[in-house]
């Protein structure tokens, strides 16, 4: 049913508007008794649980940052079968993001281009919602992804990240430093090791006992991936997320004119699959076995999740697949993983 709905109805809507419509449905899914009914059909099998970061994840598959920017869908996404939800990216200061339109479907490639620009209501609002979410009787593991406020100069980025970390880390199951979005000017430059080390050290101190991870770009050179991986271990981080969206456009099936019309931004979805898998293998080879590695990028099926786990991923995340698979996506993956045992 959903593929037909997508082709005949949803593709007629602006992608960002369609996302907001979907968010309304997901929020309803998190309200009792709807949530309890849904869990009977979507809950992962008990043996799919993953123990990592001092936490228990009901499924290895969760929602990547960017889907629930403002901490409004956590209970609903948990009821739909996701083992964890990474909210954000949250910035210390509220910001509207980039001008619209800023989200574009590349249907032929099962991909999306976005240049959202960390649109969010800010860390204070996120903190208030996280407090309420933590009181919920049933909820998934909730990670919080933090980024640099756009109006803050790159030279002052550490102070900005620390401000968010102090407010949000006590309310997060884990915290992620996002230095890899292509949609905030100067942000990816923070991935340089000499810049990243003091940033991660400061945020780790501010995060206290909350597990801290860093999220990297797929567009880094292989040696840069390995350097950052070793840095994450050296600075005492709990893990690393590989990868964010890409600025590459090579090999797309979508007509070049359509891709050009979409313009700048991060590409996610199926075209990112191979590079994300390659980066996962590079990271896993550079870090100890107990170091947590979360793989994201081009994940759509249970076979994709299984491939990432076999390549060394502790956990796996998806986002763009929700657009093409619909609200029962996590259930499909959980059932597929169960059949593959």
């Amino acid at each position: 049913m959903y593929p037909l709905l997508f082709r005949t109805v949803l593709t007629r809507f602006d992608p960002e508007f369609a996302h907001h419509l979907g968010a309304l449905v997901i929020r309803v899914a998190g309200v009792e008794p709807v949530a309890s009914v849904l869990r009977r059909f979507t809950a992962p099998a008990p043996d799919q649980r993953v123990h990592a970061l001092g936490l228990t994840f009901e499924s290895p598959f969760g929602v990547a940052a960017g889907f629930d920017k403002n901490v409004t869908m956590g209970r609903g996404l948990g009821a739909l079968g996701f083992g964890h939800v990474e909210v954000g990216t949250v910035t210390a200061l509220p910001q509207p993001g980039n001008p619209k339109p800023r989200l574009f479907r590349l249907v032929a490639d099962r991909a999306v281009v976005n240049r959202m620009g960390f649109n969010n209501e800010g860390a204070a609002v996120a903190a208030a919602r996280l407090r309420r979410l933590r009181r919920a009787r049933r909820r998934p593991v909730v990670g919080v992804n933090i980024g640099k406020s756009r109006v803050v100069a790159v030279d002052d980025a550490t102070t900005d990240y620390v401000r968010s970390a102090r407010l949000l880390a006590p309310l997060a199951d884990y915290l992620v430093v996002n230095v890899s979005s292509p949609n905030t000017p100067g942000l990816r430059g923070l991935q340089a090791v000499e810049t990243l080390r003091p940033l991660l050290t400061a945020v780790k101190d501010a995060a206290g006992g909350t597990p801290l991870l860093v999220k990297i770009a797929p567009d880094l050179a292989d040696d840069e991936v390995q350097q950052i991986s070793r840095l994450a271990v050296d600075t005492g981080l709990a893990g690393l997320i590989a990868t964010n969206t890409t600025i590459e456009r090579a090999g797309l099936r979508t007509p070049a004119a359509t891709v050009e019309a979409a313009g700048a931004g991060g590409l996610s979805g199926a075209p990112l699959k191979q590079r994300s898998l390659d980066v996962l293998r590079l990271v896993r080879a550079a870090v100890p076995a107990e170091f947590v590695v979360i793989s994201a990028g081009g994940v759509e099926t249970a076979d994709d999740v299984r491939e990432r786990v076999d390549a060394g991923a502790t956990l796996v995340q998806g986002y763009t697949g929700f657009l093409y698979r619909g609200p029962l996506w996590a259930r499909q993956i959980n059932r597929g993983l169960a059949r593959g045992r």
Side-chain angles (χ1 to χ4, degrees):
M1 286 295 294
Y2 181 80
L4 179 63
L5 176 67
F6 177 76
R7 289 195 306 270
T8 59
V9 178
L10 295 181
T11 53
R12 298 177 183 273
F13 292 118
D14 169 79
E16 189 169 350
F17 178 74
H19 177 80
H20 291 313
L21 287 179
L24 291 175
V25 174
I26 293 167
R27 287 198 286 272
V28 171
V31 176
E32 298 293 351
V34 177
S36 293
V37 173
L38 278 173
R39 287 190 193 97
R40 297 177 188 175
F41 299 97
T42 63
D47 61 359
Q48 287 179 285
R49 292 189 180 117
V50 176
H51 302 283
L53 303 174
L55 305 163
T56 298
F57 296 76
E58 295 298 317
S59 166
F61 185 61
V63 182
F67 194 89
D68 184 7
K69 293 179 181 294
N70 288 304
V71 200
T72 61
M73 293 182 265
R75 281 176 289 186
L77 289 167
L80 290 173
F82 291 95
H84 70 280
V85 178
E86 190 171 307
V87 300
T89 295
V90 179
T91 54
L93 303 174
Q95 56 188 44
N98 291 321
K100 298 179 181 181
R102 54 194 181 182
L103 185 64
F104 307 87
R105 305 180 189 95
L106 305 186
V107 178
D109 293 288
R110 299 185 75 81
V112 164
V113 170
N114 94 81
R115 53 172 174 272
M116 304 299 290
F118 291 169
N119 56 307
N120 76 105
E121 296 177 72
V125 171
R129 290 177 181 157
L130 284 165
R131 288 189 189 95
R132 292 195 293 271
L133 181 57
R134 288 178 69 85
R135 293 195 293 266
R137 186 173 63 86
R138 294 286 299 272
R139 66 169 179 87
V141 171
V142 178
V144 180
N145 185 296
I146 60 174
K148 185 185 78 67
S149 302
R150 190 181 187 95
V151 298
V152 172
V154 172
D155 290 345
D156 298 322
T158 296
T159 301
D160 190 60
Y161 277 97
V162 165
R163 179 180 175 184
S164 293
R166 286 177 175 157
L167 191 58
L168 298 169
L171 304 167
D173 290 319
Y174 69 87
L175 192 71
V176 182
V177 173
N178 184 352
V179 288
S180 50
S181 170
N183 299 318
T184 296
L187 187 74
R188 284 191 166 192
L190 296 174
Q191 292 177 113
V193 170
E194 62 274 12
T195 306
L196 188 57
R197 183 183 296 275
L199 170 61
L200 294 179
T201 300
V203 176
K204 184 175 184 297
D205 288 344
T210 302
L212 181 67
L213 298 83
V214 62
K215 186 169 186 176
I216 64 172
D219 306 310
L220 294 166
D222 289 359
D223 63 331
E224 292 175 313
V225 170
Q226 294 167 328
Q227 289 171 18
I228 294 175
S229 300
R230 290 190 288 267
L231 172 64
V233 175
D234 292 344
T235 52
L237 268 60
L240 184 149
I241 301 180
T243 62
N244 212 316
T245 58
T246 180
I247 58 174
E248 289 292 326
R249 298 291 189 269
L252 297 177
R253 299 175 182 176
T254 301
T258 302
V259 176
E260 184 176 351
L267 175 73
S268 62
L272 186 53
K273 177 178 178 177
Q274 188 57 54
R275 180 55 184 168
S276 179
L277 182 58
D278 291 343
V279 173
L280 165 63
R281 289 173 172 148
L282 286 167
V283 172
R284 179 46 74 194
V287 301
E290 67 274 12
F291 190 79
V292 171
V293 182
I294 302 178
S295 183
V299 174
E300 190 172 331
T301 67
D303 286 341
D304 292 334
V305 174
R306 193 176 296 110
E307 182 178 39
R308 301 301 171 96
V309 172
D310 290 345
T314 314
L315 299 162
V316 182
Q317 295 179 340
Y319 177 162
T320 304
F322 202 113
L323 172 70
Y324 293 103
R325 293 277 179 167
L328 295 181
W329 183 35
R331 180 183 186 275
Q332 294 165 6
I333 286 182
N334 290 331
R335 294 297 181 270
L337 292 174
R339 286 194 300 269
R341 285 198 301 271

